[in-house]
Amino acid sequence: MGDSMKEVVETLDPVARQIIPQNIYTGTLVPLKTTLELRDNLSVGYAYVTRAPTRFTNDVVNVVRSLVGDDQAKNLPHLRRCTKPTDLPSHLKNKFMNDGTTGRTIHTGKSQYLYILLGPEQEMNYEDLLKGLSAIPGIGDDIFVGLIPVPLLAPTSQVQANLWSQQFWQCVYRKNNPLGPHPSNICRTTSVVARDASVWMNLAHQIARKTQKAGFGEPIGAVIIKRTIPSKPDQIKIEGNKPDGNASDGGVEAIQGDTSDTGETKSEDGRKPDRSADDDLREGPEEKEKVEIVALAGDARWHQQGRTGRDGNPMAHAALRAISMVAQKLVRAEKREPAQSNPILEFEAFQDGPILSDEQVVFDADHPSPDGYLCHDLELYMTHEPCTMCSMAILHSRMGRIVFRHRMPLTGGMGSEDRGYDLCGGDNTCENGPCGGGQGLGLHWRKELNWSMLGWEWETDEADSLPVNSHLHA
């Protein structure tokens, strides 16, 4: 364990320090792509362009506005409205140079012309466009209107913008991502999570090996932690304003603390609370970030039933067990009596009680922040990509972030990559021919769902792998 990792371990809560492995193998966090980033990042359409002397640029734009309206004229904001002939991609230069009587003259010597992007083809009529341009006084009789392919969606990086500028038209990258989480948010959060992600992933690996050795389940483990950042106040529970599974103004988003760009809490009227010199003296040293473990669970699909069938008990997956343990801690914090199990039942489907000593140690510790809604703003670390059922449970529990190591391309619900064929590796489990195919779900970030979260894949060459059947639902 390196010195930097020792410093991280020293900041952990006593419960975590008691059970974490002695050897912490490091890894790298790779942000998960969204389904839109992988499938719709290059959606090509066609747009009209024209060329005119520089002094007529505003007149040309006014013609477009008169045809399609001001809002439609502002379409394709990621594409430059005007471009010099010298800045056109080479294939457009060759094409436009031979169009019209003035084409070659415009592209040779010092030109006073600009190429102007008019708008998408489907938004305007070609004849009306020619008529409108011809009505501009002094523009001349040689009216040029070309049709070119353009990317309909904004680029998600500067590299992509440069590439599209060479392939299509001059593109602008505005440091945002219309197809997923904002790049600055990913970068900032990755730097925070990366400090101790290896600790929690190694702990997940440890519990996975123990649960497999005990015969309770597959080598799959889950760890849930609570990260408290001093500049970000914990959410407070507002009576009658609990989320019910639907995204609304009164749901989870509405009960989070209102903070400014600097992270300072504001009062209801938007002003910062008054501070005095005495307040500064009473504050003492600056508070540091605090990370505490909330739940630890291994897979228990074979517990109390033996290896009957191929899938085992689906309600005893590691992610579901960990979420249920968080819920039990919340019930315990409210000092409510737990529901008594019916002694008539011979089999408990929800194996959500601790069955290993490490699980018991974490389960006995109090919840560090019992006022929130279930797993809101918590972080989940898993050895394997959770299945579709567990992925939806993770979303419904309002988990804040997820990190996993092993991808499950046939059964996982978080990855967005297309599912290839024959991904089982020839293990003779496919009785009906080739397996796989179809699109990944990418459930960590879907616009049609009422919750989204950041996700990463943890890559490492140091920690031992935990192979499972590729058809297994983790």
Side-chain angles (χ1 to χ4, degrees):
M1 187 184 302
D3 294 338
S4 60
M5 187 57 64
K6 290 181 180 178
E7 294 178 359
V8 172
V9 172
E10 290 175 356
T11 62
L12 302 180
D13 64 288
V15 175
R17 291 200 301 269
Q18 180 181 344
I19 60 175
I20 61 173
Q22 292 183 350
N23 296 324
I24 304 295
Y25 300 105
T26 59
T28 302
L29 294 177
V30 180
L32 299 180
K33 294 289 186 180
T34 68
T35 55
L36 292 177
E37 286 177 313
L38 292 176
R39 293 173 205 146
D40 296 335
N41 61 341
L42 181 54
S43 181
V44 179
Y46 285 87
Y48 286 118
V49 297
T50 188
R51 60 187 175 213
T54 306
R55 64 182 184 275
F56 293 122
T57 301
N58 290 333
D59 297 319
V60 172
V61 174
N62 289 333
V63 168
V64 175
R65 288 174 176 169
S66 65
L67 292 176
V68 299
D70 189 60
D71 292 338
Q72 293 295 337
K74 294 178 181 179
N75 270 349
L76 307 176
H78 57 284
L79 301 178
R80 293 195 181 277
R81 171 71 75 176
C82 302
T83 299
K84 296 179 181 179
T86 55
D87 294 332
L88 288 175
S90 57
H91 68 282
L92 291 183
K93 289 181 184 178
N94 295 333
K95 178 182 178 181
F96 294 162
M97 188 179 295
N98 298 318
D99 286 347
T101 58
T102 60
R104 188 166 296 275
T105 304
I106 292 172
H107 286 270
T108 57
K110 188 175 181 180
S111 176
Q112 297 297 323
Y113 273 72
L114 289 175
Y115 279 92
I116 307 169
L117 185 71
L118 301 175
E121 176 188 17
Q122 67 272 17
E123 300 294 340
M124 53 190 67
N125 181 273
Y126 179 77
E127 299 298 333
D128 294 340
L129 188 58
L130 281 179
K131 183 178 179 181
L133 294 175
S134 301
I136 298 176
I139 198 172
D141 298 329
D142 187 20
I143 303 297
F144 165 79
V145 176
L147 189 64
I148 63 170
V150 294
L152 298 178
L153 298 175
T156 58
S157 67
Q158 187 60 56
V159 174
Q160 192 175 57
N162 295 337
L163 180 63
W164 288 357
S165 296
Q166 298 173 13
Q167 294 178 333
F168 302 102
W169 184 268
Q170 287 288 313
C171 289
V172 178
Y173 173 58
R174 303 189 184 279
K175 295 184 179 180
N176 63 357
N177 183 9
L179 310 177
H182 198 283
S184 63
N185 187 19
I186 295 178
C187 182
R188 181 175 61 254
T189 310
T190 300
S191 63
V192 172
V193 175
R195 290 200 294 266
D196 52 21
S198 295
V199 174
W200 309 119
M201 288 304 301
N202 278 265
L203 181 57
H205 277 62
Q206 177 176 274
I207 197 66
R209 295 188 191 96
K210 288 185 177 181
T211 194
Q212 182 190 34
K213 184 177 180 180
F216 295 149
E218 298 293 329
I220 302 170
V223 178
I224 298 179
I225 68 167
K226 168 66 176 176
R227 189 183 305 275
T228 303
I229 303 176
S231 61
K232 181 182 179 182
D234 287 340
Q235 71 172 61
I236 56 174
K237 183 182 293 183
I238 298 179
E239 199 63 35
N241 214 7
K242 299 178 183 178
D244 58 357
N246 297 317
S248 64
D249 294 338
V252 175
E253 302 292 347
I255 61 176
Q256 298 182 35
D258 181 18
T259 59
S260 64
D261 293 338
T262 59
E264 295 176 304
T265 306
K266 294 181 179 180
S267 60
E268 293 182 359
D269 59 2
R271 295 177 300 177
K272 297 179 183 178
D274 294 334
R275 295 174 55 87
S276 64
D278 293 337
D279 294 330
D280 294 333
L281 292 175
R282 286 194 298 266
E283 279 189 356
E286 181 182 356
E287 187 180 358
K288 296 181 179 180
E289 177 183 305
K290 183 169 59 176
V291 184
E292 300 168 274
I293 187 169
V294 183
L296 174 67
D299 184 80
R301 68 187 65 201
W302 308 120
H303 190 228
Q304 291 187 344
Q305 71 173 53
R307 287 186 169 271
T308 56
R310 191 178 73 175
D311 300 324
N313 178 13
M315 306 310 297
H317 290 185
L320 296 184
R321 295 187 67 230
I323 293 173
S324 181
M325 290 178 183
V326 175
Q328 293 179 70
K329 283 192 172 187
L330 294 176
V331 172
R332 191 170 66 199
E334 294 178 356
K335 298 181 179 177
R336 288 191 283 151
E337 292 294 331
Q340 298 296 326
S341 60
N342 191 336
I344 299 177
L345 293 177
E346 297 182 358
F347 173 74
E348 174 58 51
F350 297 92
Q351 297 289 339
D352 53 0
I355 55 178
L356 294 171
S357 58
D358 288 351
E359 293 180 352
Q360 187 71 55
V361 170
V362 178
F363 186 77
D364 290 341
D366 292 335
H367 195 297
S369 179
D371 293 330
Y373 170 76
L374 197 48
C375 295
H376 182 250
D377 215 23
L378 302 185
E379 299 176 14
L380 172 64
Y381 295 82
M382 291 193 64
T383 56
H384 296 72
E385 178 185 356
C387 66
T388 303
M389 175 187 70
C390 290
S391 296
M392 289 305 299
I394 292 167
L395 289 176
H396 288 311
S397 69
R398 299 300 191 265
M399 196 73 68
R401 301 159 185 166
I402 182 171
V403 181
F404 62 84
R405 179 185 180 186
H406 296 283
R407 282 186 177 268
M408 301 295 291
L410 291 179
T411 61
M414 293 295 178
S416 302
E417 286 75 10
D418 291 343
R419 306 180 191 273
Y421 287 97
D422 294 324
L423 292 175
C424 61
D427 55 6
N428 298 322
T429 57
C430 303
E431 300 176 356
N432 299 321
C435 64
Q439 297 177 337
L441 299 177
L443 294 177
H444 73 288
W445 193 279
R446 295 289 292 262
K447 289 184 176 180
E448 60 269 34
L449 298 178
N450 62 358
W451 189 257
S452 60
M453 59 184 176
L454 298 182
W456 295 266
E457 183 179 4
W458 189 68
E459 294 184 348
T460 181
D461 295 329
E462 299 181 359
D464 294 336
S465 61
L466 298 172
V468 296
N469 189 299
S470 57
H471 290 266
L472 188 77
H473 292 260

